[in-house]
Amino acid sequence: MLWGCGVSNLGSDETSETTVDVRGAALSQSQFLLTVPPGALRASQKVTVVTTSHDDETRDVRVTPLFDVRPNGLDLDVPAFIDVEIDDPSIDPSEMALFWSPASGHQYQELETSVDGRKLSASVSRLGRTYGGYRHRTDGGIS
């Protein structure tokens, strides 16, 4: 598995990138880890994560930054894993879930999320945008 990234700070945005090949790779930032397992891609692909707090479409529902994993919409043959740390001690991670969208302007869906301490984890079969937020209740409201 390859580990590596170039990081640049752009205001409150952070950008990391690495090349993922058939052996898989991991890409991390302060609160975020993407693990692409072996066999997820058939050829080498540059993967970039842009972390931002400026996204207007999710600003009011997020408790984490928005993590934009590019290229958006890239299908994976084997699901990748996303881990997001909840760093605000006033937030109960058990009330949180990860939300995912294939690209900007698309509807976000709540992912089946596991919680381990302050870490939220989910798997995805396509790269896209994700953030941590409050779980939806079964009655249609937000917890």
Side-chain angles (χ1 to χ4, degrees):
M1 188 163 293
L2 299 173
W3 288 83
C5 62
V7 177
S8 63
N9 287 320
L10 308 168
S12 66
D13 291 353
E14 183 178 349
T15 301
S16 302
E17 66 181 43
T18 194
T19 299
V20 180
D21 61 21
V22 297
R23 296 174 294 173
L27 184 57
S28 65
Q29 290 184 353
S30 56
Q31 288 178 260
F32 179 84
L33 173 64
L34 171 70
T35 305
V36 181
L41 293 174
R42 296 177 191 181
S44 293
Q45 173 72 51
K46 183 173 92 171
V47 175
T48 304
V49 177
V50 178
T51 302
T52 185
S53 297
H54 293 83
D55 184 70
D56 287 335
E57 91 184 67
T58 62
R59 178 183 56 214
D60 296 332
V61 295
R62 286 188 283 110
V63 297
T64 69
L66 177 72
F67 304 99
D68 188 359
V69 184
R70 301 173 184 167
N72 289 164
L74 177 66
D75 288 319
L76 304 171
D77 291 336
V78 177
F81 301 96
I82 295 173
D83 297 319
V84 175
E85 287 284 331
I86 303 295
D87 64 355
D88 183 338
S90 69
I91 295 173
D92 179 0
S94 68
E95 298 176 1
M96 302 292 109
L98 291 175
F99 293 82
W100 177 90
S101 172
S104 180
H106 286 76
Q107 179 86 19
Y108 282 82
Q109 63 182 349
E110 184 176 334
L111 296 174
E112 185 173 327
T113 304
S114 62
V115 180
D116 182 13
R118 303 203 62 76
K119 180 178 73 176
L120 307 177
S121 301
S123 63
V124 293
S125 57
R126 183 184 300 171
L127 300 184
R129 298 159 57 97
T130 193
Y131 66 87
Y134 286 95
R135 294 182 185 272
H136 288 116
R137 297 187 320 223
T138 55
D139 63 6
I142 296 177
S143 307

